[in-house]
């Protein structure tokens, strides 16, 4: 098996996968070669590889690439005796933006912030998004240059309000600064010290701080946290919450994911984000991870003995457990003690953790797989993302990361990545789980594209055992798709921001028996398209926020089978013709329309849809009048 390039008649080249084998022909041998076009697979791998190094939302280097860039910069600076500054920036009260305006506008704000930060530095400097609302800047300082000048420039750049679709939001930022070689020569220490300085700046409010030795108090607080976590291990202060996973086909519970929580005395339930990184860095995650495996197996055994049911539960496994611990012994001991079937335990590993000590990891997972333990890849698409590597591991499932699910009904890129992951996984005989599902539209879109399971707040938040068992006793189940009579009812979506026009179109077209859906904006229409199988879309060109042609461009990418019709006046012809040339529009009709002519043209569109999809006349039926007007 080899990968080669093949030239088309027009001179262009494309990659192919070639399989050759020798075959006897009478007294001779012949070589048979089979070629498979892998253009789409190669493009998908390249896109996923890009995602491993760049932030999806802003396009900036992510934490991994930022750290690599810092190491290279310090090497050059050492040779040329230059100073280097690292600035870490964190928005003040950004959580309030997400809580009040929603995550979509919060993401919009982060995108605008990235543009402003990039405008504050030179081409030779680096701006990265390290996670959430935390950004980093690497400055190569010339003789006499002061990093505080850039910090002040960044604060000035943040003063103008952010325009978030009509909402004006002002914000401030806390900036921590560390300088090489004066503060440290270790790149990892630079990030740690800059983070400490940023915390001090946040405590002071809307300012910047240079790292100083006086900030050792922050380090002492960190040591206090480590000590408290060691006590937590000894005193059984950790608890597990369980988040359900659901089969999309049947709506039945497929199992649960066990999630670690810390019930810290005097503090209450501590956020995992505040203590799990410390467990990782200190190596305590090895001990805690073993406790999680034991506890999960015990819980599954109790559910079996009590008659609640034999549910499969997944456990997150960190890279430290694979490198420093004995995962195989932990799992085998827990299974032996609890006496549960091995297939009821699932181990979730990130792509990054799989790449750590690869040969040992493969050997460990193969032994566990031989016992019947299930293996899944968590946050797929955000890590290494090499199918060639993943095929080496005994994997049963892939989990699509929430970053691709959040905007799956409106972002053509996110939807394409999710669909690609589903198709690739199924071609490798793997099940697919989508995490972070929060809306009915996301669920419907994933169901339509044959995702196997979902997990997220749409189903349930993570719950303590007692609350979970109450829901199980009530027969918790996701509503399955409605049964149909086998016919595909003609569904028409009308989109116009004018209610009067929508009313006129409904009145005109209802007599033809269509199942009619209506929307007053492109965003609302995209949600309806995710929830329903729509055959024909008719929309007005002149709409606020998103024009008709812009909306149909998205529909073309997200729902390519839908026939798209636009209504427009002569003044909009240029943009409409451009959309037609791009293939976004099936038909264009000018205003004002003639009623009978429009009715016949829409009937013709439905007939054309039936021909394209090889549906017999009786297979594409009209619904009874008024059946599903929204």
């Amino acid at each position: 098996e080899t990968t080669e390039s093949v030239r088309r008649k027009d001179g262009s080249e494309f990659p192919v996968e070639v399989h050759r084998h020798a075959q006897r022909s009478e007294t001779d041998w012949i070589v048979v070669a089979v070629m498979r076009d892998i253009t789409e697979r190669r493009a998908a791998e390249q896109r996923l590889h890009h995602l491993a190094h760049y932030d999806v939302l802003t396009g900036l280097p992510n934490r991994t690439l930022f750290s690599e860039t810092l190491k290279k910069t310090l090497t050059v600076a050492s040779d040329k005796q230059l100073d280097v500054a690292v600035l870490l920036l964190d928005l003040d009260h950004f959580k309030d933006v997400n809580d009040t305006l929603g995550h979509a506008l919060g993401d919009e704000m982060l995108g605008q912030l990235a543009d402003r930060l990039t405008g504050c530095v030179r081409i030779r400097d680096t701006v990265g998004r390290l996670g959430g609302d935390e950004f980093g800047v690497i400055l190569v300082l010339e003789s006499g240059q002061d990093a505080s000048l850039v910090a002040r420039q960044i604060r000035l750049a943040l003063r103008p309000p952010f325009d978030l679709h009509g909402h004006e939001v002002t914000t401030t930022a806390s900036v921590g600064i560390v300088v090489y070689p004066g503060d440290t020569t270790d790149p990892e220490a630079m990030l740690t010290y800059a983070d400490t300085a940023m915390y001090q700046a946040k405590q002071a409010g809307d300012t910047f701080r240079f790292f100083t030795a006086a900030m050792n108090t922050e380090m002492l607080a960190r040591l206090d946290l480590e000590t408290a976590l060691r006590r937590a291990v000894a005193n059984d202060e950790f608890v597990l919450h369980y988040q359900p996973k659901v089969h999309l086909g049947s709506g039945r519970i497929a199992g649960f994911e066990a999630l670690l929580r810390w019930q810290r005395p005097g503090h209450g339930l501590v956020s995992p984000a505040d203590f799990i990184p410390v467990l990782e860095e200190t190596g305590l995650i090895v001990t805690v991870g073993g406790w999680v495996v034991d506890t999960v197996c015990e819980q599954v055994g109790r559910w079996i003995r009590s008659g609640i049911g034999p549910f499969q539960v997944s456990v997150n496994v960190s890279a430290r457990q694979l490198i420093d611990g004995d995962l195989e012994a932990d799992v085998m001991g827990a299974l032996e003690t609890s006496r549960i079937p091995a297939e009821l335990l699932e181990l979730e590993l990130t792509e990054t953790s799989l790449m750590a000590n690869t040969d040992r990891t493969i050997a460990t997972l193969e032994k566990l797989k031989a016992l019947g333990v299930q293996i899944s890849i968590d946050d797929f698409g955000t890590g290494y993302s090499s199918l060639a590597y993943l095929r080496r591991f005994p994997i049963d499932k892939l989990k699509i990361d929430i970053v691709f699910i959040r905007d799956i009904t409106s972002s053509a890129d996110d939807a394409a990545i999710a669909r690609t992951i589903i198709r690739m996984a199924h071609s490798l005989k793997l099940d697919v789980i989508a995490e972070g599902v929060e809306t009915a539209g996301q669920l419907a879109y994933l169901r339509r594209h044959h995702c196997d399971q979902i997990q997220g707040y749409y189903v349930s938040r993570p719950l303590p055992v007692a609350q979970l068992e109450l829901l199980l006793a009530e027969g918790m189940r996701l509503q399955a798709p409605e049964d149909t009579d086998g016919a595909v009812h003609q569904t028409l979506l009308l989109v116009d921001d004018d209610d009067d026009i929508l009313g006129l179109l409904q009145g005109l077209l209802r007599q033809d028996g269509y199942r009619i859906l209506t929307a007053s904006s492109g965003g609302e229409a995209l949600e309806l398209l995710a929830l329903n199988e729509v055959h024909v879309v008719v929309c007005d060109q002149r709409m606020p926020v998103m024009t008709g042609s812009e909306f149909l461009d998205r529909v073309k990418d997200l729902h390519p089978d839908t026939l798209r019709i636009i209504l427009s006046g002569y003044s909009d012809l240029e943009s409409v013709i451009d959309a037609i040339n791009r293939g976004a529009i099936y038909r264009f009709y000018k205003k004002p329309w003639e009623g009978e002519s429009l009715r016949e043209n829409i009937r013709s569109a439905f007939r054309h849809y039936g021909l394209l999809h090889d549906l017999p006349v009786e297979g594409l039926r009209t619904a009874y009048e008024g059946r599903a007007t929204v």
Side-chain angles (χ1 to χ4, degrees):
E1 177 183 323
T2 60
T3 301
E4 302 175 12
S5 293
V6 175
R7 190 181 301 276
R8 299 185 179 92
K9 288 183 179 180
D10 62 5
S12 62
E13 294 186 350
F14 63 99
V16 296
E17 186 177 78
V18 182
H19 298 264
R20 296 181 177 88
H21 69 272
Q23 180 174 313
R24 182 178 290 280
S25 175
E26 296 180 352
T27 60
D28 294 327
W29 288 86
I30 61 174
V31 176
V32 178
V34 178
M35 294 189 299
R36 176 183 296 171
D37 186 344
I38 59 171
T39 302
E40 291 187 7
R41 190 176 76 188
R42 181 70 59 80
E45 288 184 354
Q46 290 174 348
R47 177 177 290 180
L48 293 173
H49 179 72
H50 178 83
L51 291 170
H53 294 86
Y54 291 89
D55 175 55
V56 175
L57 177 63
T58 63
L60 297 175
N62 61 14
R63 180 177 289 273
T64 299
L65 182 56
F66 187 87
S67 298
E68 293 174 358
T69 303
L70 177 59
K71 292 177 183 177
K72 294 176 182 177
T73 303
L74 295 188
T75 299
V76 174
S78 175
D79 294 338
K80 298 186 177 181
Q81 295 185 333
L82 297 173
D83 290 349
V84 176
V86 170
L87 284 66
L88 289 192
L89 174 146
D90 186 83
L91 289 182
D92 300 323
H93 311 297
F94 177 71
K95 182 177 182 295
D96 295 340
V97 177
N98 279 334
D99 291 344
T100 57
L101 299 181
H103 288 278
L105 292 185
D107 288 350
E108 171 67 23
M109 183 175 176
L110 293 177
Q112 293 183 25
L113 171 63
D115 293 337
R116 296 190 189 186
L117 290 177
T118 304
C120 293
V121 300
R122 302 158 302 177
I123 294 177
R124 66 188 294 184
D125 301 322
T126 299
V127 178
R129 184 186 178 207
L130 308 187
D133 60 329
E134 184 180 347
F135 291 79
V137 181
I138 302 172
L139 300 175
V140 178
L141 301 176
E142 297 175 351
S143 179
Q145 187 179 9
D146 188 347
S148 63
L149 295 177
V150 177
R152 291 189 179 95
Q153 190 173 350
I154 288 173
R155 293 179 62 217
L156 286 174
L158 292 181
R159 285 186 179 177
F162 291 82
D163 183 1
L164 306 179
H165 299 294
H167 299 277
E168 284 198 349
V169 176
T170 58
T171 189
T172 56
S174 302
V175 182
I177 307 171
V178 63
V179 179
Y180 165 95
D183 294 323
T184 180
T185 58
D186 183 355
E188 292 185 6
M190 287 191 76
L191 293 175
T192 301
Y193 291 170
D195 188 67
T196 299
M198 182 178 69
Y199 176 80
Q200 295 293 331
K202 188 172 285 290
Q203 293 296 101
D206 185 22
T207 187
F208 62 87
R209 288 284 187 269
F210 281 87
F211 176 80
T212 67
M215 292 178 182
N216 282 336
T217 53
E218 178 69 19
M219 301 298 184
L220 293 175
R222 167 61 181 268
L223 289 175
D224 179 64
L225 179 60
E226 289 184 23
T227 302
L229 283 170
R230 294 182 192 279
R231 284 198 302 265
V233 172
N235 298 336
D236 292 328
E237 295 171 10
F238 293 109
V239 295
L240 293 180
H241 288 189
Y242 295 83
Q243 187 171 35
K245 304 174 188 177
V246 174
H247 286 295
L248 278 181
S250 65
R252 296 182 182 276
I253 292 177
F256 308 99
E257 178 179 0
L259 297 165
L260 186 65
R261 299 292 186 263
W262 180 19
Q263 192 72 45
R264 186 178 182 184
H267 294 77
L269 210 59
V270 181
S271 169
D274 294 335
F275 71 87
I276 287 183
V278 181
L279 290 178
E280 292 272 4
E281 293 168 18
T282 59
L284 288 171
I285 194 66
V286 175
T287 301
V288 175
W291 173 85
V292 171
V293 173
D294 283 339
T295 305
V296 163
C297 290
E298 290 173 7
Q299 184 60 63
V300 172
R302 283 194 292 270
W303 280 334
I304 292 174
R305 291 189 295 273
S306 65
I308 290 178
F311 291 109
Q312 184 184 80
V313 179
S314 61
V315 172
N316 292 288
V317 176
S318 76
R320 293 293 293 267
Q321 285 176 269
L322 289 168
I323 297 172
D324 300 333
D326 191 341
L327 181 64
E328 181 185 351
D330 288 344
V331 170
M332 293 180 66
L335 292 175
E336 183 178 354
T337 301
S338 63
R339 299 186 181 279
I340 66 169
E343 60 268 19
L344 295 183
L345 177 64
E346 179 177 281
L347 304 179
E348 289 191 12
L349 302 94
T350 64
E351 296 168 74
T352 304
S353 67
L354 279 179
M355 296 307 121
N357 203 359
T358 305
D359 291 337
R360 179 185 172 187
T361 299
I362 291 175
T364 298
L365 296 182
E366 285 180 342
K367 290 177 182 176
L368 294 174
K369 178 69 175 174
L371 294 175
V373 175
Q374 299 287 288
I375 311 292
S376 69
I377 304 302
D378 196 12
D379 301 339
F380 184 76
T382 62
Y384 194 84
S385 303
S386 168
L387 291 180
Y389 269 84
L390 290 180
R391 288 174 62 188
R392 299 175 59 190
F393 297 93
I395 299 166
D396 299 288
K397 299 173 186 174
L398 296 181
K399 292 186 75 173
I400 306 176
D401 188 75
I402 186 175
V403 72
F404 306 120
I405 302 302
R406 185 179 294 121
D407 298 319
I408 197 172
T409 61
S410 58
S411 168
D413 287 342
D414 288 350
I417 290 172
R419 293 196 305 269
T420 298
I421 291 174
I422 292 170
R423 287 197 297 268
M424 288 191 301
H426 286 170
S427 70
L428 296 173
K429 304 297 188 295
L430 304 177
D431 284 345
V432 182
I433 305 171
E435 60 181 348
V437 175
E438 296 182 352
T439 70
Q442 293 167 347
L443 181 150
Y445 191 88
L446 291 163
R447 178 178 273 158
R448 189 173 304 136
H449 290 281
H450 312 296
C451 185
D452 301 291
Q453 299 176 23
I454 65 166
Q455 175 183 352
Y457 275 39
Y458 185 82
V459 177
S460 172
R461 64 183 177 85
L463 298 171
V465 172
Q467 292 184 30
L468 181 65
E469 290 178 348
L470 286 176
L471 287 180
L472 294 175
E474 294 170 0
M476 178 184 182
R477 181 172 178 175
L478 186 71
Q479 184 176 354
E482 294 183 2
D483 293 333
T484 65
D485 57 8
V488 182
H489 294 289
Q490 293 180 332
T491 302
L492 173 66
L493 172 60
L494 305 175
V495 188
D496 199 304
D497 64 324
D498 189 324
D499 290 339
D500 293 335
I501 297 297
L502 283 178
L504 288 173
L505 287 171
Q506 281 184 280
L508 172 67
L509 300 170
R510 185 179 290 117
Q511 57 190 307
D512 292 321
Y514 303 126
R515 176 178 181 244
I516 298 178
L517 311 173
T518 65
S520 57
S521 69
E524 183 184 348
L526 288 172
E527 186 70 12
L528 286 174
L529 282 162
L531 287 167
N532 301 273
E533 185 173 357
V534 175
H535 307 106
V536 177
V537 177
V538 178
C539 79
D540 182 40
Q541 168 64 3
R542 290 196 170 186
M543 293 190 298
V545 182
M546 190 188 308
T547 66
S549 55
E550 290 171 341
F551 162 67
L552 291 182
D553 262 331
R554 293 202 191 183
V555 176
K556 172 179 175 288
D557 292 329
L558 288 164
H559 309 278
D561 290 343
T562 302
L563 294 185
R564 303 168 291 278
I565 297 173
I566 200 165
L567 303 175
S568 178
Y570 281 116
S571 61
D572 302 311
L573 277 180
E574 185 175 345
S575 59
V576 170
I577 290 173
D578 181 56
I580 292 173
N581 290 336
R582 293 195 307 273
I585 297 176
Y586 163 69
R587 289 286 187 269
F588 157 59
Y589 301 115
K590 66 180 181 66
K591 292 181 177 180
W593 64 81
E594 197 281 316
E596 290 306 313
S597 175
L598 182 62
R599 286 180 62 197
E600 176 53 37
N601 284 320
I602 290 177
R603 283 195 292 266
S604 175
F606 276 106
R607 287 195 294 269
H608 185 62
Y609 183 96
L611 290 172
L612 285 177
H613 297 83
D614 197 26
L615 294 173
V617 175
E618 65 272 13
L620 190 62
R621 301 180 184 173
T622 57
Y624 58 80
E625 184 173 350
R627 169 178 172 174
T629 301
V630 176

